[in-house]
Amino acid sequence: MSSLEGKTVLVTGGARGLGAEAARRAAAAGARVVITDVLDAEGEETARRIGDAARYLHHDVTSEQDWERAVGRAVEEFGGLDGLVNNAGVSTGTPLVEESVEHFRKVLETNLTGVFIGMKAAVPAMRERGAGSIVNISSAAGLMGLALTAGYGASKWGVRGLTKIAAVELGTERIRVNSVHPGMTYTPMTADTGIRPGEGNYPNTPMGRVGEPGEIAEAVVFLLSDAASYVTGAELAVDGGWTTGPTVRYVMGR
């Protein structure tokens, strides 16, 4: 396991699913974690289960003031900020011509503008530490054109590009910025769409299954850690090979 001993990490969208698992794994690797979300009951429970190394804070990622409070909480409680996981986001499942402009803007505001504000808020605290690691959660939909994801896909492509811009601007300050691109992963959010865990349930993925939150979280912890000290501007697909291409079984319709 990658070590985060002595580091403080802020995880947005950390109340449940992928964010909660990233927070748990970060704490298990030695980090103090500040979990933020708008799902207060679940967020408080996740922090309680992690224990003394965790704090929860209500946080709207589209609000500059909330971001200032979140970073300030990390500094106040744990003395600084070393890592940021921009995980909070909303999804969509509508054909482009049917998605409303209002919803498109809402998705970009949360998924992309929220990441932008978060990096702006976190960088000064990381400069105080002399280094830092930012992990932006994009998606397989940020590596390929995926039907029914107009707002979501556009936002995740934007996160991918914004990550690279931040990486080249901040690299000399020892602040690394990378993006993680999960494939279809079984979480409370995707469960509502009928996704189920287990082998053989996702035939167009070379590994033949959906991912588990822990598999994504381990990649996040690695990028946060000093084990990834020479990794910045990377886009790490954790998708069972989905974005590599369809399987023979899928192409042949077997």
Side-chain angles (χ1 to χ4, degrees):
M1 178 184 289
S2 302
S3 175
L4 296 178
E5 198 66 41
K7 297 184 184 295
T8 299
V9 176
L10 193 160
V11 182
T12 70
R16 64 180 188 174
L18 203 165
E21 189 62 27
R24 282 191 287 265
R25 302 269 174 142
R32 288 78 55 88
V33 293
V34 175
I35 299 165
T36 77
D37 210 307
V38 294
L39 302 174
D40 295 334
E42 290 171 280
E44 293 282 5
E45 177 63 14
T46 296
R48 187 193 66 78
R49 289 184 177 182
I50 291 173
D52 291 341
R55 302 288 187 274
Y56 173 74
L57 180 69
H58 182 91
H59 178 197
D60 173 1
V61 296
T62 68
S63 165
E64 293 181 69
Q65 291 73 30
D66 276 16
W67 268 109
E68 290 174 6
R69 287 196 308 114
V71 173
R73 181 74 178 274
V75 173
E76 177 185 342
E77 293 277 347
F78 299 125
L81 182 64
D82 305 284
L84 169 63
V85 182
N86 273 313
N87 170 72
V90 294
S91 63
T92 186
T94 308
L96 185 150
V97 296
E98 296 177 13
E99 184 163 2
S100 70
V101 173
E102 179 184 13
H103 186 258
F104 184 89
R105 285 175 173 155
K106 178 182 178 181
V107 172
L108 262 67
E109 184 72 6
T110 300
N111 294 5
L112 180 55
T113 306
V115 170
F116 169 72
I117 302 170
M119 289 196 290
K120 281 177 64 70
V123 165
M126 291 181 178
R127 284 173 171 160
E128 288 291 322
R129 301 286 255 191
S133 176
I134 299 172
V135 180
N136 295 326
I137 306 301
S138 179
S139 169
L143 294 172
M144 63 180 179
L146 186 61
L148 308 181
T149 67
Y152 181 80
S155 71
K156 294 304 185 179
W157 275 84
V159 168
R160 178 186 177 190
L162 189 59
T163 296
K164 293 186 181 299
I165 292 166
V168 297
E169 290 188 359
L170 299 171
T172 57
E173 299 183 74
R174 298 179 61 232
I175 298 174
R176 299 180 295 104
V177 191
N178 296 286
S179 58
V180 170
H181 299 256
M184 192 59 70
T185 306
Y186 182 70
T187 67
M189 184 170 67
T190 60
D192 292 340
T193 69
I195 294 298
R196 294 291 178 266
E199 299 290 338
N201 61 9
Y202 213 63
N204 65 330
T205 297
M207 292 188 71
R209 63 177 177 85
V210 300
E212 297 287 346
E215 294 175 303
I216 316 301
E218 284 295 334
V220 171
V221 171
F222 164 70
L223 290 172
L224 288 170
S225 77
D226 292 339
S229 60
Y230 199 52
V231 181
T232 196
E235 46 198 43
L236 179 55
V238 190
D239 64 355
W242 186 22
T243 55
T244 304
T247 63
V248 172
R249 175 186 173 193
Y250 184 77
V251 170
M252 299 297 291
R254 296 174 182 170

